Amino acid sequence: MGYQYLFGPVPSRRLGVSLGIDLVPHKTCSYNCIYCECGKTTCLTTERTEFYPTDAIIREIDDYLSTGPQLDFITFSGSGEPTLHSGIGRIARHIRETFPDYRMALLTNGSLFNDPEVRAEAADVHVIVPSLDAVSESVFEKIDRPCASITAADVVSGLVSLRKEFTGEIWLEIFIIPGLNDTDEELLFLRDAIAEIRPDRVQLNALDRPGIADWITVPTVEEMDRIAASLGFPGVEVVEGLPSRSDIASFSQDVRESILGTIRRRPCTMDDLGRILGLHPNEIRKYTDTLIADGQIGEKKEDRGTFFVALS
């Protein structure tokens, strides 16, 4: 069957082979990050609600997992902030009880963990991967552009509370924007926050594909090493490139060729490809990544957005 709320499995730079669960409409989030690969936030909100029917999401999960697919993780991620969905706790609990062999990860901007209810609903996942891009309010607002009710201090406080209650692993992600959160002052603030949060891992990320702001640059290896050393956390990880897709059974050469053939006929945005092929943007993106890596397509920014163009 075709799925409305599931996508993949896709290769993740951090989580291996991951089945995605998309809980909110594109692009519903509490942030409007300048680096977001999903595009500009169209619904900037902190209001939690049942954006999609929880029962329908669970039915799709049951249908897919009943076949026993090989997965490294089932991941709450997608087109916005997953903790905004009021049924995320029930969904995670259902997976934990019905399919106990699968591990779950929650990719989140971390903005809502000051709410005890959100922390309680996240309790059944195995790994939480929250973001903390800045601690000073000025840099936080420049990078993450949050809802007016969210402060950097609130985010740090929520993550500290999460660490006290959550029995799984916390992998703290910091997205590096050269010129903003890589200064000595901001790195010292981040160092202090990390010591307070006590995550299991700290992961440094950087631009992998075009975000909203076209001026963002990619730090050099030397710059990332300097940043990692300054954070006072043993074994800071720098997120590397995508794993090979060769061992992923769900990877479809037919889909890859369909995407390539469509782009060869005319340049397309991500939205164009989604409408034409009926695939989730996150799934399309993993195929376009391989085509870019192979030198078969490139990206070109136009007024209407970023277009994929054929190179061969």
Side-chain angles (χ1 to χ4, degrees), residues 58-96:
I58 288 175
R59 282 196 297 271
E60 286 196 1
I61 291 169
D62 287 349
D63 182 83
Y64 186 83
L65 294 183
S66 64
T67 64
Q70 291 187 346
L71 304 170
D72 294 312
F73 276 96
I74 298 167
T75 306
F76 295 98
S77 62
S79 303
E81 173 50 44
T83 60
L84 287 169
H85 193 289
S86 58
I88 187 171
R90 182 179 159 210
I91 295 166
R93 190 161 52 252
H94 175 81
I95 295 171
R96 171 82 81 153

Side-chain angles (χ1 to χ4, degrees), residues 3 5 16 18 44 58 76-79 86 121 127 135 201 210 228 244 252 272 285 301 305:
Y3 297 108
Y5 313 112
S18 169
L44 184 66
I58 288 175
F76 295 98
S77 62
S79 303
S86 58
E121 291 182 19
V127 177
V135 176
R201 300 185 188 182
S244 169
S252 170
D272 294 335
R285 189 173 292 114
K301 289 208 169 186

Side-chain angles (χ1 to χ4, degrees), residues 211-280:
I212 295 172
D214 58 9
W215 52 263
I216 300 175
T217 59
V218 180
T220 65
V221 172
E222 291 75 19
E223 288 170 337
M224 290 295 256
D225 288 342
R226 174 186 67 84
I227 293 166
S230 72
L231 293 177
F233 186 90
V236 173
E237 303 170 16
V238 176
V239 177
E240 302 292 345
L242 284 169
S244 169
R245 297 202 64 151
S246 59
D247 296 327
I248 301 176
S250 65
F251 181 75
S252 170
Q253 290 294 338
D254 290 341
V255 172
R256 188 179 191 274
E257 291 306 313
S258 294
I259 291 173
L260 180 58
T262 301
I263 295 170
R264 280 174 172 163
R265 285 191 291 274
R266 64 177 175 87
C268 294
T269 65
M270 184 68 70
D271 287 343
D272 294 335
L273 290 171
R275 286 192 296 269
I276 293 168
L277 300 171
L279 295 173
H280 191 283

Side-chain angles (χ1 to χ4, degrees), residues 90-219:
R90 182 179 159 210
I91 295 166
R93 190 161 52 252
H94 175 81
I95 295 171
R96 171 82 81 153
E97 293 174 353
T98 311
F99 302 98
D101 292 338
Y102 289 102
R103 283 166 57 80
M104 288 177 283
L106 169 60
L107 301 187
T108 171
N109 62 28
S111 63
L112 301 183
F113 287 125
N114 241 5
D115 183 344
E117 185 173 321
V118 175
R119 297 198 300 271
E121 291 182 19
D124 280 312
V125 305
H126 300 85
V127 177
I128 297 177
V129 187
S131 298
L132 182 66
D133 299 322
V135 176
S136 69
E137 299 296 339
S138 60
V139 177
F140 173 64
E141 290 175 5
K142 287 176 183 177
I143 295 176
D144 295 325
R145 301 190 297 186
C147 282
S149 60
I150 300 173
T151 68
D154 289 338
V155 176
V156 173
S157 173
L159 291 173
V160 170
S161 296
L162 177 70
R163 174 73 290 172
K164 292 176 181 177
E165 300 171 11
F166 183 60
T167 59
E169 295 184 41
I170 297 176
W171 301 355
L172 188 70
E173 178 190 39
I174 303 170
F175 197 102
I176 300 299
I177 306 291
L180 287 181
N181 61 351
D182 62 342
T183 64
D184 290 342
E185 181 181 36
E186 196 62 41
L187 292 174
L188 182 59
F189 290 149
L190 284 165
R191 179 189 179 111
D192 291 344
I194 290 168
E196 193 175 5
I197 295 166
R198 297 183 295 108
D200 296 278
R201 300 185 188 182
V202 173
Q203 299 178 323
L204 299 183
N205 210 340
L207 199 66
D208 184 52
R209 54 179 73 91
I212 295 172
D214 58 9
W215 52 263
I216 300 175
T217 59
V218 180

